[in-house]
Amino acid sequence: SMVWAAMPGMLFRKNKDSSLHPLNLSWVFGYNSSLAVHSLMDGEDRVLLYVSSHIVVIHDILGNKQYHLQGHTNVISCLCVSEDKRWVATADRGPDALIIVWDSYSGVPVRTIFESHPDDGVCAIAISQDAKYLVTISAATVQKVCVWRWTLPTEKPMCSTELKPEFGYQDYVSFNPQNPHEFVSNSKTQVIFYLWVRQSQLWDENTAWLLSPQTFKCLVGQFSQSVFHFNNTQALTGTLAGKLVVWDMDNPRTLPEELPAKPHGITATKVVSMQKESLTVLKVLESCVVTGDVKGQVKFYDGQLRLLTIYSHDKVGPIQSISFSTILRHPPSASPGSSHPFLTSWSDSSNSVSLTLNRNFILSTSDATMFHVATDSTNFERIMKEANKAVNAIACHPQEPLVASGSHCGLLKVWDYKETQYLVSRIFSEAGIQCLAYDPEGYLLAAGFTDGSVYILDSISLQSICDKFQFSKGPVTHISFSYDSKYLATADENHSVTVYKRVLQNGSRCWEHLAGLDSHYKPIRSILFGVHSDSNEPRLLSLGEDRQLVEYDLNSSIKDHLVVTHRDRLEQAAVPLCLVWYPQLSTESFFLTANNCYKMKLYNTTTKMCRKTLLGPTYGSPLEKIQILPRTSSADPQQHYLVYITKDKVGLQILPVDGNPHKSSAFICHPDGASDFATSHDGRYIFTAGGKERTFMKWKVNLPALDAAAFLGGEDLIPFYNLLNGGREGEFFRELEDYFYYVQLCRQGINTMENRQVSTHIPLEEIPSVMRAIGFYPSEEEIEEMINEVKFSKYVDTGEQVTKISLGDFIKLYINHRPALGLSMKTIQRAFQVLGYDNEKGDKVIDTGDFLSLLQCRGEQMTEDELAECLTTLLGRRPGEGGSEPDTCDPTGAAALTEEEIPAEITTEVFVADILSLPIAK
């Protein structure tokens, strides 16, 4: 009923504040300039349709409104629009690729086709003139062409065919407007004509022969687009050499009941040299042929390819698409003698005759610019100018509703995000912008560039307040001001930290380079300013993938000498990815990290001791960056939230972090990778940058929705029970209970005759044995962290150490510390890749002697006695199987058993199945 009653323009009358999600897409900045832009409405309501990442945007330019069609999980690779501008078909590439047909009037997805091209998705799509059929071409190495009757509820195409690799990569397709059973596609070197009659029958008409330079007897250049001529006897193909190939087809051509024995005769009869510049767009519009080229010219020809009129402007770049309005203008003095349906002749004041279009049109260019062309005045109105390279940098003003974005094309733009108005921009031609940061007062905007330079700009005018700095050895990846705006720190791709200091010269403030240091030997993930609690002076930390947290002494640092006060290794095996100061929710002060194993850890800010390990959000990839969400004026002062981005998602987490999965939520923001994010000063909006997608997005925060989801997920232990295999009533939980009470029996003595003291707690020193019994095998360092986490959990408040743990707290400890994704064979295989060598069969193996040496000399080193006990236990025979039980304290016996049971070369399968006795997943 929503589709049946829909009318043009009704989208923007919908209430967008009624969403029940914690994050709601509010605005999309930028678009995919490699895809077409379509004009849906023109006149008083100028409405455009374009693609940004995985979102279809319907944009009312004059009304400054957007409506978003959301359904794809991958970046949209192609789209098409029906002749009446109502039906929009979109397709994507990647896993679980979709084809979706939308009603542009109501915004409803009326048809979704799953698994259309399961290998690699879709690279080209077209819709027939009658809007009944779709044709798609897959993006796979061996391409497949399918015809769909999208109005029928079937997942199978009407017909399909596979294309030979000799035809090249076909990336453009279009229907014959006068016959939906014919369509044409082209690659850079080959053109294919198709005819389909009924289900499962599809001719690719030129499979009999391939095009070559000898076909045309002249140089034609690479093909760009192909269309059918309006006379229905010819087809046209544009080339990058500025030529049109004219194809003649059999005439009359009526639709047979079955496919003919051979395809229609189609011949390249002539090559017309139209111009020197490459033709990038070719369209047929009623009785006009329209071309667009790399110089930004739009030319109109009649059916005999005679030039009618030209539209050009020196500020228009290479044309990517042309879309005409459906509204016909009626010029005030139209000549009654004009017979051309698209061109009108009338006399101007000088009595000269000019040919003018009756429809305005929208131009989009490959450099991400859109123009509205009013054909009665040949006026090129620029309506949008966006980044045409990766958008990696974004920052929000600390006091005003301003957001700045930076691109690798050097474009720096500032928007008023409350009114969604563009304010000011600046283009840096020397290098691309990689990171941005406002100072806490909001007067300055610092920018780090891909060539290692750093600019400090006035935040309003974007003019430089001092000469640029060039001290970083590689692209600047992070930039941040201290809380008092006295220091500016940067990190670069060469693992260096550089600090700049504000000084007074001749009574005015300026900036100078203080010092730099190669602090890490792997990429730096975070630089973080804080405050020393005792002196109120700025504090600077850097965190790298080398697992090192480095703290600097800014007060003691002098020119060209950056002093380091502490170096601490935060992780044993995992890689820390991000760092943030944790809100003061208790007496103790912490900073929070997230690692690549989906764990979040709280460290004491003074001792750097790990105080807590917690399960983080598990949404397909680890957390890449985190920030504390600023509080609104009406928010509960004790309620805090964490904002994060993963590889492709943006999310919210309720604090304090405790491992409860219902306290977090995430949404796909940039399928090809989110590069950065920023939060508004009032905490109402989150902005995410899409990197190579060339977009950034504004998300409205709805905290009550997240609070409601956490409440519905259950309180206390209920969420944690659900994370156990089988839940609270499952076999795993009962087994855990049995181990819990078995420990108490062992502590009191198995054979004692005294009354048992049954308790709900076990001593802390029994934690490792119970963890191992239920299938979690922590390292010695992890065991120490688990015990210390419980032992000192109340120390700051009470001054006393905890000596025992309850079953409920043990379950939380287990959930938070166990591997988030379980045991992985891939992890062991990666270790063998590093430690092993290729044997004669090509398998990665480790020599048994090297294996024993590694266990005793590297990592958490085992003594000979410990190694003997472990191997004897793992490999020992059961009593009664050909001998007595091995002595677990006899290294000689262990060595003999090792020589007997372990082969000279250990493969991953032998290690897992024969030594560890773990099942191998098929």
Side-chain angles (χ1 to χ4, degrees):
S1 61
M2 291 177 62
V3 175
W4 181 80
M7 298 291 291
M10 67 174 287
L11 278 178
F12 302 105
R13 296 194 289 269
K14 290 187 176 182
N15 182 13
K16 298 180 67 175
D17 296 327
S18 58
S19 175
L20 301 178
H21 300 296
L23 289 174
N24 300 290
L25 184 60
S26 177
W27 198 271
V28 178
F29 301 83
Y31 72 102
N32 186 346
S33 57
S34 62
L35 298 182
V37 175
H38 293 272
S39 173
L40 296 186
M41 300 173 65
D42 199 359
E44 296 182 0
D45 299 310
R46 188 179 300 167
V47 180
L48 305 183
L49 181 142
Y50 52 85
V51 168
S52 295
S53 183
H54 63 303
I55 307 293
V56 182
V57 181
I58 299 179
H59 191 169
D60 182 352
I61 299 294
L62 301 180
N64 198 29
K65 299 175 183 177
Q66 283 187 355
Y67 190 89
H68 308 116
L69 307 181
Q70 301 178 70
H72 291 276
T73 57
N74 304 304
V75 171
I76 295 173
S77 56
C78 51
L79 81 159
C80 58
V81 177
S82 63
E83 182 69 18
D84 61 2
K85 307 297 180 78
R86 176 161 191 177
W87 310 109
V88 180
T90 56
D92 63 63
R93 297 183 189 176
D96 303 319
L98 299 176
I99 300 172
I100 304 179
V101 181
W102 312 82
D103 174 22
S104 68
Y105 293 178
S106 63
V108 172
V110 294
R111 181 80 165 89
T112 301
I113 302 174
F114 299 91
E115 299 181 354
S116 58
H117 298 280
D119 294 335
D120 291 290
V122 183
C123 73
I125 191 169
I127 190 168
S128 61
Q129 182 86 356
D130 58 8
K132 293 181 180 180
Y133 303 102
L134 293 176
V135 59
T136 59
I137 302 179
S138 72
T141 304
V142 178
Q143 291 183 290
K144 187 176 183 179
V145 182
C146 296
V147 177
W148 310 82
R149 178 73 181 264
W150 67 267
T151 54
L152 298 178
T154 176
E155 295 296 319
K156 294 184 178 180
M158 298 281 291
C159 51
S160 64
T161 187
E162 286 189 353
L163 302 180
K164 296 179 180 179
E166 304 92 88
F167 288 121
Y169 189 77
Q170 300 284 318
D171 57 3
Y172 184 82
V173 64
S174 65
F175 272 100
N176 183 347
Q178 301 179 55
N179 183 359
H181 290 262
E182 286 185 312
F183 56 93
V184 60
S185 71
N186 67 262
S187 64
K188 300 298 182 187
T189 59
Q190 304 293 322
V191 180
I192 306 176
F193 293 86
Y194 307 80
L195 172 68
W196 67 275
V197 176
R198 63 171 186 261
Q199 188 168 353
S200 302
Q201 291 187 321
L202 179 64
W203 261 110
D204 43 43
E205 301 188 0
N206 271 345
T207 53
W209 51 282
L210 294 172
L211 301 177
S212 67
Q214 289 72 31
T215 304
F216 306 103
K217 298 182 175 59
C218 67
L219 182 65
V220 296
Q222 293 184 333
F223 300 139
S224 55
Q225 294 184 358
S226 300
V227 295
F228 287 89
H229 199 289
F230 53 78
N231 62 20
N232 203 28
T233 63
Q234 292 178 317
L236 306 171
T237 298
T239 79
L240 299 186
K243 299 177 181 179
L244 280 182
V245 179
V246 181
W247 308 87
D248 276 359
M249 298 181 287
D250 285 348
N251 189 43
R253 289 160 44 248
T254 58
L255 184 65
E257 294 184 1
E258 293 187 359
L259 286 177
K262 64 177 184 178
H264 289 298
I266 299 176
T267 309
T269 54
K270 57 183 174 180
V271 177
V272 182
S273 182
M274 311 298 290
Q275 57 187 57
K276 293 182 180 180
E277 298 81 14
S278 299
L279 298 178
T280 55
V281 177
L282 177 63
K283 296 178 75 72
V284 169
L285 202 62
E286 296 192 3
S287 56
C288 280
V289 177
V290 186
T291 66
D293 61 36
V294 292
K295 289 190 67 175
Q297 301 176 109
V298 180
K299 298 181 179 180
F300 294 82
Y301 301 87
D302 64 11
Q304 286 73 45
L305 301 182
R306 294 174 297 199
L307 182 64
L308 298 176
T309 186
I310 302 176
Y311 291 89
S312 64
H313 195 284
D314 56 1
K315 292 185 178 180
V316 180
I319 294 176
Q320 188 67 35
S321 70
I322 306 171
S323 180
F324 288 89
S325 165
T326 56
I327 300 175
L328 287 173
R329 291 186 304 98
H330 300 287
S333 55
S335 169
S338 175
S339 60
H340 202 284
F342 254 106
L343 298 173
T344 305
S345 301
W346 73 83
S347 300
D348 56 17
S349 56
S350 61
N351 293 324
S352 64
V353 178
S354 61
L355 295 172
T356 308
L357 274 170
N358 276 350
R359 301 186 192 219
N360 298 337
F361 56 92
I362 297 292
L363 291 182
S364 71
T365 66
S366 58
D367 58 3
T369 309
M370 297 183 199
F371 294 89
H372 179 266
V373 182
T375 53
D376 56 349
S377 61
T378 65
N379 176 39
F380 282 70
E381 176 191 356
R382 191 173 76 178
I383 55 179
M384 193 178 294
K385 169 63 179 174
E386 298 297 340
N388 61 355
K389 291 186 179 179
V391 177
N392 283 339
I394 195 163
C396 285
H397 195 280
Q399 299 171 11
E400 300 295 332
L402 305 178
V403 60
S405 66
S407 166
H408 276 192
C409 66
L411 176 63
L412 174 62
K413 294 184 74 172
V414 178
W415 293 76
D416 179 337
Y417 58 77
K418 191 174 182 180
E419 301 296 332
T420 321
Q421 294 289 339
Y422 155 72
L423 298 179
V424 64
S425 64
R426 179 179 173 182
I427 295 179
F428 298 84
S429 57
E430 299 85 0
I433 302 170
Q434 184 69 27
C435 52
L436 293 169
Y438 281 97
D439 77 313
E441 297 172 342
Y443 298 139
L444 304 175
L445 177 62
F449 286 76
T450 53
D451 65 350
S453 60
V454 173
Y455 283 75
I456 301 178
L457 313 171
D458 179 87
S459 64
I460 302 300
S461 66
L462 302 185
Q463 297 304 307
S464 302
I465 65 168
C466 60
D467 293 336
K468 73 173 182 179
F469 296 105
Q470 189 78 52
F471 292 95
S472 294
K473 301 173 185 177
V476 179
T477 56
H478 299 77
I479 193 164
S480 180
F481 283 95
S482 63
Y483 78 97
D484 57 2
S485 299
K486 289 183 179 179
Y487 294 95
L488 173 69
T490 66
D492 60 48
E493 282 190 3
N494 283 12
H495 319 147
S496 299
V497 171
T498 308
V499 178
Y500 304 88
K501 187 176 182 180
R502 191 183 68 192
V503 295
L504 282 175
Q505 286 186 355
N506 301 324
S508 61
R509 292 179 176 181
C510 61
W511 290 83
E512 67 175 16
H513 173 256
L514 178 61
L517 184 67
D518 294 337
S519 308
H520 300 266
Y521 64 89
K522 286 188 177 181
I524 297 172
R525 298 294 307 207
S526 295
I527 55 172
L528 186 66
F529 274 106
V531 182
H532 283 287
S533 57
D534 52 350
S535 64
N536 211 34
E537 289 293 324
R539 182 181 184 184
L540 178 61
L541 306 171
S542 67
L543 178 66
E545 290 184 11
D546 54 7
R547 303 180 178 89
Q548 296 291 317
L549 179 70
V550 181
E551 183 167 1
Y552 308 87
D553 187 344
L554 297 177
N555 277 337
S556 302
S557 298
I558 58 176
K559 182 68 175 176
D560 296 327
H561 181 63
L562 188 59
V563 178
V564 173
T565 58
H566 295 96
R567 286 183 182 271
D568 298 278
R569 179 176 62 82
L570 296 189
E571 297 278 2
Q572 182 182 32
V575 177
L577 299 179
C578 43
L579 172 72
V580 74
W581 298 107
Y582 199 64
Q584 196 75 35
L585 302 178
S586 63
T587 309
E588 196 172 0
S589 297
F590 303 104
F591 57 82
L592 177 70
T593 67
N595 65 32
N596 67 334
C597 294
Y598 299 92
K599 301 296 183 183
M600 305 176 81
K601 292 190 174 184
L602 290 173
Y603 293 86
N604 183 282
T605 56
T606 303
T607 65
K608 313 295 195 322
M609 177 181 176
C610 180
R611 294 288 291 106
K612 216 164 202 181
T613 299
L614 303 144
L615 177 65
T618 53
Y619 294 110
S621 58
L623 307 192
E624 298 285 340
K625 295 186 179 183
I626 54 177
Q627 287 184 25
I628 303 300
L629 183 71
R631 288 181 296 175
T632 61
S633 56
S634 59
D636 182 353
Q638 297 301 315
Q639 190 75 338
H640 296 268
Y641 299 85
L642 181 77
V643 186
Y644 60 84
I645 55 172
T646 67
K647 178 183 177 182
D648 59 348
K649 298 177 180 69
V650 58
L652 288 170
Q653 167 82 47
I654 299 175
L655 299 181
V657 182
D658 60 5
N660 180 354
H662 300 292
K663 294 173 70 173
S664 69
S665 180
F667 299 85
I668 295 175
C669 57
H670 301 283
D672 273 359
S675 59
D676 198 7
F677 79 99
T679 58
S680 64
H681 66 91
D682 57 4
R684 297 182 185 276
Y685 297 100
I686 300 170
F687 297 86
T688 59
K692 61 183 181 180
E693 294 177 4
R694 297 166 283 176
T695 64
F696 73 97
M697 299 181 181
K698 170 186 167 186
W699 301 82
K700 188 173 183 180
V701 176
N702 182 15
L703 296 178
L706 182 59
D707 294 335
F711 176 78
L712 294 173
E715 298 179 343
D716 196 26
L717 285 170
I718 294 176
F720 297 93
Y721 288 144
N722 294 333
L723 294 176
L724 297 176
N725 187 20
R728 174 67 174 80
E729 306 300 325
E731 182 179 346
F732 182 86
F733 180 80
R734 291 196 298 270
E735 184 180 356
L736 176 57
E737 277 187 316
D738 291 342
Y739 285 129
F740 214 77
Y741 292 115
Y742 180 70
V743 166
Q744 297 183 43
L745 294 176
C746 292
R747 298 285 296 186
Q748 297 174 32
I750 293 294
N751 299 321
T752 183
M753 300 300 294
E754 299 177 5
N755 291 335
R756 299 286 183 180
Q757 300 296 321
V758 180
S759 171
T760 58
H761 295 72
I762 62 172
L764 296 188
E765 54 267 27
E766 297 294 342
I767 288 176
S769 59
V770 180
M771 289 288 183
R772 290 166 182 151
I774 59 177
F776 170 39
Y777 309 100
S779 66
E780 295 300 316
E781 183 171 314
E782 289 172 325
I783 289 171
E784 183 180 358
E785 288 182 351
M786 283 192 291
I787 293 176
N788 287 338
E789 178 178 320
V790 181
K791 181 186 293 186
F792 298 108
S793 59
K794 300 179 181 178
Y795 187 81
V796 174
D797 298 325
T798 66
E800 298 179 355
Q801 295 182 4
V802 177
T803 59
K804 55 187 179 180
I805 185 171
S806 67
L807 178 60
D809 289 337
F810 184 89
I811 291 174
K812 290 183 179 180
L813 193 70
Y814 167 71
I815 292 294
N816 285 317
H817 280 265
R818 69 176 180 178
L821 304 179
L823 293 173
S824 171
M825 188 69 176
K826 290 183 179 179
T827 304
I828 299 174
Q829 289 171 342
R830 283 196 297 268
F832 271 69
Q833 290 284 338
V834 175
L835 301 174
Y837 61 90
D838 293 324
N839 65 4
E840 296 178 354
K841 297 180 180 179
D843 300 326
K844 283 290 181 183
V845 297
I846 299 177
D847 179 80
T848 300
D850 294 339
F851 171 73
L852 298 176
S853 176
L854 286 168
L855 292 175
Q856 295 178 81
C857 303
R858 302 292 295 272
E860 292 183 346
Q861 300 171 10
M862 302 178 72
T863 65
E864 187 176 354
D865 288 347
E866 289 173 337
L867 180 58
E869 181 179 355
C870 285
L871 289 177
T872 306
T873 303
L874 288 168
L875 301 174
R877 300 182 184 90
R878 297 179 182 178
E881 292 184 359
S884 61
E885 187 174 356
D887 182 357
T888 57
C889 296
D890 181 10
T892 305
L897 186 60
T898 300
E899 184 176 344
E900 178 183 345
E901 297 288 340
I902 301 180
E905 293 180 339
I906 304 173
T907 64
T908 53
E909 290 77 12
V910 169
F911 179 68
V912 173
D914 298 342
I915 298 178
L916 299 181
S917 298
L918 295 175
I920 299 178
K922 294 183 180 179

